Amino acid sequence: QVQLAESGGGLVQAGGSLRLSCAASGSIFSVTSMGWYRQAPGKQRELVTDITSGGNIHYADSVKGRFTISRDNAKNTVYLQMNSLKPEDTAVYYCNLQTFQTFPFRTIDYWGQGTQVTVSS
């Protein structure tokens, strides 16, 4: 099985920075993508950013120019550098890994435990 261990959340002032880490372990094959989602109180979980196995990167419009996703393949780790944080960035951030399974034929999503990011004004 696959496990995702998250770290790096915390409390920061507006304009500050945080760096989240997500280390994957276990039996990992045919990874489609890794990324970050977030969920604020009373809202649905939303995609923040992801990176495909081929290196293609997508960012939500709300974080473009402020957040950067990166990957260390040797360490099976993905990072999220968060700069110029705003109060509206406050949420629980979840690491996501999507992998492909041939039998049954399907994709499978794995999730980290979540890490709280709180930005004060």
Side-chain angles (χ1 to χ4, degrees), residues 9-116:
L11 173 64
V12 298
Q13 293 181 324
S17 299
L18 286 173
R19 191 183 192 220
L20 307 183
S21 298
C22 176
S25 62
S27 182
I28 306 173
F29 299 99
S30 301
V31 175
T32 302
S33 65
M34 293 189 70
W36 295 91
Y37 289 70
R38 67 186 181 186
Q39 187 168 23
K43 297 184 177 180
Q44 294 185 340
R45 187 174 300 186
E46 65 175 354
L47 174 66
V48 177
T49 179
D50 61 7
I51 180 169
T52 70
S53 59
N56 295 317
I57 297 173
H58 170 265
Y59 294 101
D61 289 341
S62 59
V63 306
K64 286 182 179 178
R66 300 187 298 119
F67 291 9
T68 303
I69 189 172
S70 61
R71 181 180 61 195
D72 186 336
N73 290 332
K75 297 181 179 180
N76 293 319
T77 301
V78 66
Y79 306 92
L80 182 63
Q81 180 65 46
M82 309 165 66
N83 298 327
S84 301
L85 283 163
K86 304 175 181 179
E88 50 262 43
D89 295 318
T90 296
V92 177
Y93 284 70
Y94 296 92
C95 179
N96 168 264
L97 182 151
Q98 186 178 86
T99 187
F100 179 78
Q101 179 180 287
T102 57
F103 186 80
F105 187 87
R106 61 177 179 174
T107 57
I108 301 175
D109 284 300
Y110 296 91
W111 297 93
Q113 79 280 7
T115 184
Q116 177 70 48

